[in-house]
């Protein structure tokens, strides 16, 4: 498969590893938006978590947790934003699931999750909840 992250897992492309176990690889992002920007990927190719089993997602999440601890221990940032871009509409450029660990520093000028999009839609939360009741 012509996937840059699969190539990194297969060691065809080098990386700066932050953490690795049998299920995940965490490495420094090549175009960091912050000091210590790290991406964590499952070793098996999935585009999004929706294709993963609960067990696969649990194992992946455990790796994200350890990678987060490593970045915290080594860089001690003021905080983090952690998450993933999912599918084209969500801004995903590399179609191999990757969680971004973005360290945040006091006064860095960045935003928070609320700055990603402002598109609340035409229904209130109470109206939408009707769909989730079934
Ligand atoms: P996306 O926009 O898909 O959520 O993020 C893809 C991320 O992967 C970007 O932050 C980009 O800098 C990073 N990236 C893309 N190619 C490489 C690569 O070859 N090596 C590393 N370390 N990061 C990469
Ligand atoms: Zn892949």
């Amino acid at each position: 498969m012509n996937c840059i992250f699969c190539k990194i897992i297969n060691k065809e492309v080098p990386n700066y590893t932050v953490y690795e176990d049998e299920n995940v690889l965490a490495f420094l992002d090549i175009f960091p938006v912050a000091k210590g920007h790290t991406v964590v990927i499952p070793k098996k190719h999935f585009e999004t978590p929706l294709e993963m089993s609960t067990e696969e997602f649990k194992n992946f999440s455990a790796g994200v947790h350890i990678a987060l601890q490593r970045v915290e221990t080594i860089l001690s940032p003021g905080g983090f934003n952690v998450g993933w871009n999912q599918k084209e509409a969500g801004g995903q450029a590399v179609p191999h699931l990757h969680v971004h660990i973005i360290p945040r520093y006091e006064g860095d000028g960045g935003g928070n999750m609320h700055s990603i999009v402002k598109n609340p839609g035409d229904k209130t939360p109470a109206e939408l909840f009707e769909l989730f009741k079934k």
Side-chain angles (χ1 to χ4, degrees), residues 45-111:
H45 181 101
F46 296 100
E47 184 174 1
T48 82
L50 298 176
E51 294 87 50
M52 301 171 91
S53 69
T54 301
E55 187 69 14
E56 286 166 332
F57 191 72
K58 276 186 188 172
N59 291 336
F60 178 56
S61 299
V64 172
H65 186 217
I66 297 171
L68 180 65
Q69 289 171 324
R70 298 236 339 120
V71 179
E72 168 68 14
T73 300
I74 291 165
L75 295 175
S76 301
F80 287 97
N81 297 110
V82 180
W84 64 92
N85 299 320
Q86 183 159 319
K87 305 284 278 194
E88 196 179 340
Q92 183 174 11
V94 176
H96 181 134
L97 173 63
H98 48 286
V99 167
H100 292 265
I101 295 177
I102 301 176
R104 297 297 303 273
Y105 303 90
E106 287 303 329
D108 65 12

Side-chain angles (χ1 to χ4, degrees), residues 1-7 9 41-47 94-97:
M1 185 184 294
N2 191 25
C3 168
I4 183 68
F5 286 174
C6 283
K7 286 181 179 164
I9 289 161
I41 65 178
K43 287 193 168 173
K44 189 173 164 191
H45 181 101
F46 296 100
E47 184 174 1
V94 176
H96 181 134
L97 173 63

Side-chain angles (χ1 to χ4, degrees), residues 4-5 8 13-16 27-33 37 39 84-85 91-96 98 100:
I4 183 68
F5 286 174
I8 287 175
V13 171
N15 75 90
Y16 297 109
F27 52 95
L28 296 175
D29 196 293
I30 205 72
F31 299 115
V33 298
H37 181 179
V39 287
W84 64 92
N85 299 320
Q92 183 174 11
V94 176
H96 181 134
H98 48 286
H100 292 265

